[in-house]
Amino acid sequence: MGPRFLVYASCALSIWGDRMWHFAMSVFLIELYGHNLLLTAGFGLVVAGSVLVFGALIGDWIDRKPRNKVAHASLFIQNSSVTACCVVLMLVFSYKSEIEQMWHGWFTVSVFCYAMVIILADLANLASTALTITVQKDWIVVITGDNRGQLAGMNAAIRRMDQVINIFAPLSVGQVMTWASNVIGCGFILGWNLISLLVEFIFLSRVYQLVPSLAVKSQQNLKNNLKELKLLNIFQNMHKAPTEQKSSPEMQRKSVTKLPLCFRKMHRMLCTCRDGWKAYYRQSVFLAGLGLAFLYTTVLGFDCITTGYAYTQGISGSLLSILMALSAFSGLMGTILFTKLRKHYGLAVTGVVSSLLHVSCLMLCVFSVFAPGSPFDLGIFSLLTSKNSSLNQETLQKNHMHGSDHPESYISIILLFSGVILARIGLWSFDLTVTQLLQENIPESERGIVNGVQSSMNYLMDLVHFIMVILAPQPQQFGLLVIISLLFVITGHVMYFIYAKKYKIKETVIQTTGRKPQNPCV
């Protein structure tokens, strides 16, 4: 029952609950809105937008507050929000027929229920983001100390648990919902969250007691930043008139204090977001983090987009579940590759090898676009912009019916999923590389806010990926999305290559001179 085991157990419970909830939530939203994807798309937009807006604020809160209070508050908000959302869903599913009979009040009640479900689920996602940053990006760094090998081992172990749980957690709640009902499924998730809340609270409290260094937060970098700001203000005041030097600070303080309390809080939040993005930009690992974010703009993964395309190409649900299991196994191989490469060649080389492996495997997906059986047809764009609307609609219906049948050849779909599955090895190895680079190089006083901005960047690029799909939703256009996705992935890896080159120069300078270079980006 050492600290590492307790962290593993706590992360496993948290990941299991998150995976069950994300799977069930997509099903619940479809059931609520009459088997339509509109509410699900709206929920995804709200979740991505909220993390994009509040990511820096969450990180700043993590940096300012004690570690145990942040972990406990995030844990309580996450589980209580999921519990409240489950209660609302159980009431809606149980009394749906009675509500539908209220014709005059149905619209108001339904909109209120949809809003409550989305708000509570979004709040749970924000709290989950805070808990992930706290435990997986900060606590394990403190627990392992200066031992980079142990840090890499803990990162890989948590990622392996994530891959395995991603198979069995949705399966467990899916079976309950299939053989019982949606109400029983909500109750199952509700009970899991209540039990998980108690166990995780005890485990994290025990870890905090066993590792005294968690109670200490370094403020040295924060003090240095304050000194730099004071020097900057002094330098600016030297170029002002004497009257301006005396009146300017007093006038600024008066102008701020005269504002209402809500505007003062809004001003502070905006300044925090601005400072967070500035802190993210000035990090030495900025290019590596930005490169990782670019990998989120892709349709080459096992999300709802790729799943929907697979169904249009005649892939059954059972076969798709097998492919998802193979994808998880490939991800496990990526974690093993990461630990081996990092041990023998270091982080920088591990990232380069992982990048090359990732891109080379995704080339199979590009080949699938032009292989036999591919529905790729750029002529669909001219049909969408055609002035003859009746011919346009008739042709699209024919293409849709053709896409729903079995393709003439399965070579294209085989190449596509072969590339997606094999690419997971390089993808997860690269993800672990950048994750550890962020852990090792971000100052402790800025660890929360920088990782919060990194989460915002990830969700921003994920939004771009959904916009791409909205602009090209037809199966005949999916090949173009594959090519664009590969371009984004290559761009992200090129950014990492630039960082790796500077990283190697930095190591060379340290080895030859025995001191770090003054430029943090070198």
Side-chain angles (χ1 to χ4, degrees), residues 80-81 96 105 127 150 230 252 263 290 302 309 314 336 353-354 366 376 383 394 436 456 520:
S80 60
S81 299
K96 188 176 182 180
Q150 290 185 3
K230 290 180 180 179
Q252 290 178 0
F263 287 101
L290 187 61
F302 279 91
Y309 176 76
I336 297 174
V353 175
S354 302
V366 177
F376 180 59
L383 290 174
E394 181 181 354
Q436 185 155 344
S456 298

Side-chain angles (χ1 to χ4, degrees), residues 227-241:
K227 290 180 180 179
E228 291 177 3
L229 290 176
K230 290 180 180 179
L231 291 174
L232 180 61
N233 291 332
I234 294 173
F235 177 79
Q236 291 176 347
N237 291 332
M238 290 174 62
H239 297 275
K240 294 180 180 179

